[in-house]
Coordinates of all heavy atoms in Angstrom, one line a residue:
L1679 N 0.7 28.4 33.7 CA -0.4 27.6 33.2 C -1.7 28.3 33.1 O -2.8 27.8 33.0 CB -0.6 26.3 34.1 CG 0.6 25.4 34.2 CD1 0.3 24.3 35.3 CD2 0.9 24.7 32.9
S1680 N -1.6 29.7 33.2 CA -2.8 30.5 33.3 C -3.7 30.4 32.0 O -4.9 30.4 32.1 CB -2.5 31.9 33.5 OG -1.6 32.4 32.5
A1681 N -3.1 30.3 30.8 CA -3.8 30.1 29.6 C -4.6 28.8 29.6 O -5.8 28.8 29.1 CB -2.9 30.2 28.4
A1682 N -4.0 27.8 30.0 CA -4.8 26.5 30.1 C -5.9 26.6 31.1 O -7.0 26.0 30.9 CB -3.8 25.4 30.4
Y1683 N -5.6 27.2 32.2 CA -6.7 27.4 33.2 C -7.9 28.2 32.7 O -9.0 27.8 33.0 CB -6.1 28.1 34.5 CG -7.1 28.4 35.5 CD1 -7.7 27.4 36.3 CD2 -7.5 29.7 35.7 CE1 -8.7 27.7 37.3 CE2 -8.4 30.1 36.7 CZ -9.0 29.1 37.4 OH -10.0 29.4 38.4
D1684 N -7.6 29.2 31.9 CA -8.7 30.0 31.3 C -9.6 29.1 30.5 O -10.8 29.3 30.4 CB -8.1 31.2 30.6 CG -7.5 32.2 31.5 OD1 -7.8 32.2 32.7 OD2 -6.6 32.9 31.0
V1685 N -9.0 28.2 29.7 CA -9.8 27.3 28.9 C -10.6 26.3 29.7 O -11.7 26.0 29.4 CB -8.9 26.6 27.9 CG1 -9.6 25.5 27.0 CG2 -8.2 27.6 27.0
L1686 N -10.0 25.7 30.7 CA -10.6 24.7 31.5 C -11.6 25.1 32.5 O -12.5 24.4 32.9 CB -9.5 23.8 32.2 CG -8.6 23.1 31.3 CD1 -7.5 22.4 32.2 CD2 -9.3 22.0 30.6
R1687 N -11.6 26.4 32.9 CA -12.5 26.8 34.0 C -13.9 27.0 33.5 O -14.8 27.3 34.3 CB -12.0 28.1 34.6 CG -12.0 29.3 33.8 CD -11.5 30.5 34.5 NE -11.5 31.7 33.6 CZ -11.1 32.9 34.1 NH1 -10.7 33.0 35.3 NH2 -11.1 33.9 33.3
G1688 N -14.1 26.9 32.2 CA -15.4 27.2 31.6 C -16.4 26.0 31.7 O -17.6 26.2 31.4
G1689 N -16.0 24.8 32.1 CA -16.9 23.7 32.1 C -16.3 22.5 32.8 O -15.2 22.6 33.4
T1690 N -17.1 21.4 32.8 CA -16.6 20.2 33.5 C -16.0 19.3 32.5 O -16.5 19.0 31.4 CB -17.8 19.4 34.1 OG1 -18.5 20.3 35.0 CG2 -17.4 18.2 34.8
E1691 N -14.7 18.8 32.8 CA -13.9 18.1 31.8 C -14.1 16.6 31.9 O -13.7 15.9 31.0 CB -12.5 18.5 32.0 CG -12.2 20.0 31.8 CD -12.6 20.5 30.5 OE1 -12.4 19.8 29.4 OE2 -13.3 21.5 30.4
G1692 N -14.7 16.1 32.9 CA -14.8 14.6 33.0 C -13.4 14.1 33.5 O -13.0 14.5 34.6
L1693 N -12.7 13.3 32.7 CA -11.4 12.8 33.1 C -10.3 13.8 32.6 O -10.4 14.3 31.4 CB -11.2 11.5 32.4 CG -9.9 10.8 32.7 CD1 -9.7 10.5 34.2 CD2 -9.8 9.5 31.9
L1694 N -9.4 14.2 33.4 CA -8.3 15.1 33.1 C -7.0 14.4 33.4 O -6.7 14.0 34.5 CB -8.5 16.4 33.9 CG -7.3 17.4 33.8 CD1 -7.3 17.9 32.3 CD2 -7.6 18.6 34.7

Side-chain angles (χ1 to χ4, degrees):
L1679 303 171
S1680 56
Y1683 173 72
D1684 292 339
V1685 175
L1686 292 173
R1687 68 180 178 178
T1690 301
E1691 299 305 314
L1693 181 61
L1694 175 61

